[in-house]
Amino acid sequence: MNSIAERLTEVRRKITEQCERHQRRPETVQLVAVSKGKSTAAIIEAFQHGQVLFGENYVQEALKKIQDLHDLPIQWHFLGPIQSNKTRDIATHFQWVHSIDRLKIAQRLSAQRPAEQTPLQVLIQVNIDDDSAKAGVAPDQVAELAEQLSQLPNLQLRGLMTIPAIKAVPVDAAESFAAMNRLFLQLKAQYPQIDTLSMGMSADWQYAIEHGATMIRIGTAIFGAR
Ligand SMILES: *Cc1c(COP(=O)(O)O)cnc(C)c1O
């Protein structure tokens, strides 16, 4: 399988299969195609095959693509670390941000979100494995940050995101995903608008779906190696 269209079709087929295996409706799992390092032509090919949600990690690279593709009704998701000097670009050009882990950054995004746009949809990134190489808040800090974010007028808190520590085998991520699902359900019980649990990448998304992911972020399996 070498075309993006074929790989996308195959990924979707497997997602449906995995949902059925775990008694979940396939429409409860959204697919974000992670296009970092890939060309606008690659994004267009995926879009022409029905892909609407795209994820990017680097602001400069993303802005160029967003500009080039402004005619297409793509929903852009920011997934990478956020520097203070990039918050205005992110607040202006993205619809979703998955990587919120500091109040100060969230305050800037809210203040810089253009008034004519709908609120920026945001997720709190959780460092579920306490991995020093990963961004994100500790699980016991989620409640406090959620409370603070819910006060910001131009952000809408939609849920949680995680990237587990690198595991010896992908199935080892299952425990981390299960822990995330427990945190997600607690938060959802407190805030009615919480509906999104973003977890699972090319190597481990099957286990993320098994443990309640509502959004999976897949790059390599759609676009090929970076
Ligand atoms: C790169 C990236 C992905 C996609 O990773 P693949 O292994 O290529 O599917 C998903 N989420 C985040 C946050 C990423 O940085």
Side-chain angles (χ1 to χ4, degrees):
M1 267 195 301
N2 26 41
S3 80
I4 289 169
E6 283 170 315
R7 285 192 294 250
L8 188 54
T9 302
E10 181 66 5
V11 165
R12 289 204 187 108
R13 189 185 64 71
K14 288 185 187 159
I15 291 171
T16 300
E17 220 173 69
Q18 183 69 343
C19 284
E20 284 165 357
R21 193 173 293 135
H22 295 284
Q23 289 80 47
R24 298 193 54 191
R25 285 179 296 118
E27 61 272 24
T28 63
V29 179
Q30 287 191 290
L31 172 61
V32 177
V34 181
S35 46
K36 64 179 177 222
K38 299 296 171 179
S39 66
T40 52
I43 296 173
I44 291 170
E45 184 176 348
F47 180 82
Q48 283 170 341
H49 288 84
Q51 183 62 35
V52 177
L53 281 52
F54 288 86
E56 290 280 340
N57 288 54
Y58 310 104
V59 176
Q60 282 325 109
E61 178 192 341
L63 289 186
K64 171 96 178 63
K65 295 177 191 175
I66 293 171
Q67 207 163 31
D68 289 350
L69 299 171
H70 73 273
D71 284 346
L72 303 182
I74 287 175
Q75 189 181 86
W76 293 100
H77 290 238
F78 190 77
L79 310 178
I82 307 173
Q83 295 168 316
S84 301
N85 63 349
K86 296 287 164 53
T87 51
R88 187 176 299 280
D89 285 332
I90 294 170
T92 306
H93 297 287
F94 285 83
Q95 285 81 49
W96 281 71
V97 177
H98 292 224
S99 44
I100 303 283
D101 63 1
R102 278 189 292 157
L103 178 60
K104 182 170 159 266
I105 291 291
Q107 286 168 329
R108 288 177 66 93
L109 290 170
S110 181
Q112 294 168 342
R113 180 70 168 171
E116 70 277 10
Q117 295 187 35
T118 54
L120 191 60
Q121 308 298 301
V122 303
L123 304 175
I124 294 174
Q125 182 171 352
V126 181
N127 188 354
I128 194 66
D129 295 318
D130 191 23
D131 175 359
S132 61
K134 295 276 181 320
V137 300
D140 65 4
Q141 296 177 313
V142 168
E144 188 185 356
L145 186 55
E147 168 59 24
Q148 292 164 330
L149 296 187
S150 68
Q151 314 289 326
L152 297 175
N154 300 320
L155 302 188
Q156 185 170 30
L157 177 62
R158 295 290 294 273
L160 303 176
M161 177 272 220
T162 200
I163 310 170
I166 292 171
K167 304 292 165 76
V169 282
V171 67
D172 291 347
E175 225 173 279
S176 311
F177 292 146
M180 281 298 296
N181 197 22
R182 289 190 291 273
L183 269 181
F184 172 64
L185 294 175
Q186 279 170 20
L187 198 64
K188 203 170 147 76
Q190 253 186 303
Y191 299 93
Q193 82 279 12
I194 299 289
D195 59 4
T196 304
L197 180 54
S198 167
M199 59 187 192
M201 305 177 19
S202 292
D204 57 15
W205 63 266
Q206 287 91 340
Y207 307 104
I209 287 185
E210 180 177 351
H211 294 286
T214 69
M215 209 176 253
I216 60 177
R217 310 176 308 266
I218 299 192
T220 312
I222 295 172
F223 294 110
R226 286 183 291 274

